[in-house]
Amino acid sequence: MHQIPSFGVEEEFLLVDPETGEPAPRNDEVAAHAQRQGVDLQLELSSCQVETTSKVATSSTELGEQLRSLRRTAAQAAEASGVRLLALGLPPVTPHQFPVTDTERYQRIGAEYGMVAHEQGICGCHVHVEVPGRAAAVKVSNWLRPWLPSLLALSANSALYRNTDTGYASWRSILWRRWPVAGAPPFFASPEQYDNTVRMLIDSGVILDQKMIYWDVRPSSNFPTVEVRVADVPATVDETVLLATLIRAAVMTALDSLGRSDDGGRLPPAALRAAYWKAAHDGLAGQLLDSVHDYGAVPARRQLDALVHKVRPALEQLDEYDRVTAELDRLLAEGNGAMRQRRVWQQRGDMLDVIADAARATQW
């Protein structure tokens, strides 16, 4: 097993009006309040969003402490600005479009990509894990491809949108794939092939710059990491830590397999697309495609157990195996974000109750 890599997390959050539940375009004001508390929040494409960025962490405990502190400060900054912070993949109550943040780059994206950019408000979670170089990052990305749908189902947190149940556990992931470079990346044989593909996308005008490589796993353009971007922002810190720990262990397992024959990432594109759709639709409560073996439908827990089994040596090296299995048991019993959204909605039938419950969970 290789040296234990450091890791970190970026979480995107919604800002909503506490009275109506509608997205509130106040990210610049919220960021200013947070900065006075010593926390830099990033502005996202929609002005009803902010993003937190953890420092580099070396343990799940350290990461969890950072994320709780960041969420608490961001929530306080939102309250000081007269809005509410929510860890939800999409706003349950929405306008017809979302104002684009007033920066030169975001305004250019808004002008170029039209309704795809103006109907945004999409909040994800990005996990960075240290790798020894770009070649390793590309190979790790290949290794992770079949497992991306499982991670999506685990984090699904966007079942409600436009005042209704969408029928999907992660409607965010369905909307997100409207961007030209989103979803699962192709299988890349080398860093050169990856670079040539990115250059083609930019030179052809399909994307404006490297930052618009929105694939669900990619070599980071800014850090010596592989970045896994498949997840809805999880409802709670514990869920984010579980997700990040599994991804960290998966990256360690992938790094350990480099140089050996492990072509699991070369599954047929149609099978991967089907696995994504099934994960977005059913989430943690239903069935997933076994995208590693026979592509048959299996309970979500069984597929996640297969992932845990695959990465168990890494989890044990991290001393995280018992914690991860216990957290999965708890999550299956209590429900993840999408399951809790639906439970509150079905019991009460009021989106403001869903929003209040999500606000509480955001700071658990």
Side-chain angles (χ1 to χ4, degrees), residues 189-204:
S190 67
E192 292 75 23
Q193 185 184 22
Y194 178 91
D195 291 340
N196 289 338
T197 301
V198 172
R199 191 175 304 112
M200 175 273 292
L201 291 166
I202 295 173
D203 290 347
S204 64

Side-chain angles (χ1 to χ4, degrees), residues 10-307:
E10 300 161 351
E11 291 189 298
E12 297 169 344
F13 299 97
L14 287 167
L15 304 172
V16 303
D17 185 293
E19 300 296 327
T20 67
E22 291 194 2
R26 308 279 284 278
N27 62 358
D28 52 351
E29 186 178 339
V30 173
H33 277 290
Q35 192 170 49
R36 287 194 282 273
Q37 301 301 315
V39 171
D40 289 328
L41 298 180
Q42 305 302 311
L43 304 184
E44 291 299 304
L45 175 61
S46 167
S47 55
C48 67
Q49 292 173 272
V50 293
E51 180 185 74
T52 62
T53 304
S54 78
K55 296 179 181 178
V56 174
T58 58
S59 73
S60 295
T61 299
E62 180 187 3
L63 179 65
E65 291 171 351
Q66 286 192 45
L67 295 179
R68 282 189 174 82
S69 177
L70 288 167
R71 286 190 178 204
R72 184 167 54 250
T73 300
Q76 291 169 350
E79 184 178 1
S81 304
V83 297
R84 179 176 277 175
L85 186 86
L86 301 180
L88 287 176
L90 288 171
V93 180
T94 61
H96 289 294
Q97 67 179 29
F98 299 83
V100 172
T101 296
D102 189 18
T103 67
E104 182 180 353
R105 180 172 179 271
Y106 284 152
Q107 287 293 315
R108 186 181 173 199
I109 290 173
E112 183 71 22
Y113 295 91
M115 191 55 72
V116 173
H118 284 273
E119 194 180 34
Q120 189 70 2
I122 289 173
C123 292
C125 174
H126 307 157
V127 178
H128 288 261
V129 183
E130 181 185 15
V131 290
R134 291 187 72 258
V138 170
K139 290 180 179 179
V140 167
S141 297
N142 289 339
W143 191 97
L144 286 171
R145 289 172 76 249
W147 298 106
L148 293 173
S150 302
L151 298 171
L152 173 61
L154 178 67
S155 69
N157 189 25
S158 51
L160 307 182
Y161 185 63
R162 295 195 179 279
N163 300 288
T164 193
D165 189 326
T166 65
Y168 291 75
S170 175
W171 188 239
R172 176 206 66 89
S173 68
I174 301 295
L175 296 182
W176 184 247
R177 289 202 290 275
R178 297 179 300 179
W179 288 97
V181 185
F187 187 103
F188 290 108
S190 67
E192 292 75 23
Q193 185 184 22
Y194 178 91
D195 291 340
N196 289 338
T197 301
V198 172
R199 191 175 304 112
M200 175 273 292
L201 291 166
I202 295 173
D203 290 347
S204 64
V206 171
I207 58 175
L208 302 184
D209 51 38
Q210 284 199 34
K211 291 182 180 179
M212 289 190 71
I213 297 294
Y214 294 151
W215 284 318
D216 286 338
V217 58
R218 67 182 187 184
S220 172
S221 58
N222 299 320
F223 306 106
T225 64
V226 63
E227 181 182 5
V228 182
R229 305 164 47 88
V230 69
D232 288 7
V233 61
T236 67
V237 168
D238 285 344
E239 290 169 66
T240 298
V241 172
L242 171 63
L243 173 76
T245 301
L246 277 172
I247 289 172
R248 187 189 192 193
V251 171
M252 291 169 65
T253 306
L255 288 171
D256 197 48
S257 73
L258 297 185
R260 298 202 302 267
S261 178
D262 189 352
D263 247 8
R266 286 186 183 270
L267 75 169
L272 185 55
R273 181 176 176 84
Y276 257 86
W277 185 91
K278 190 68 170 168
H281 184 269
D282 286 21
L284 194 60
Q287 293 192 315
L288 304 179
L289 258 66
D290 183 346
S291 54
V292 180
H293 298 107
D294 60 2
Y295 313 132
V298 297
R301 178 58 194 261
R302 180 173 160 187
Q303 183 70 357
L304 286 165
D305 282 345
L307 174 58

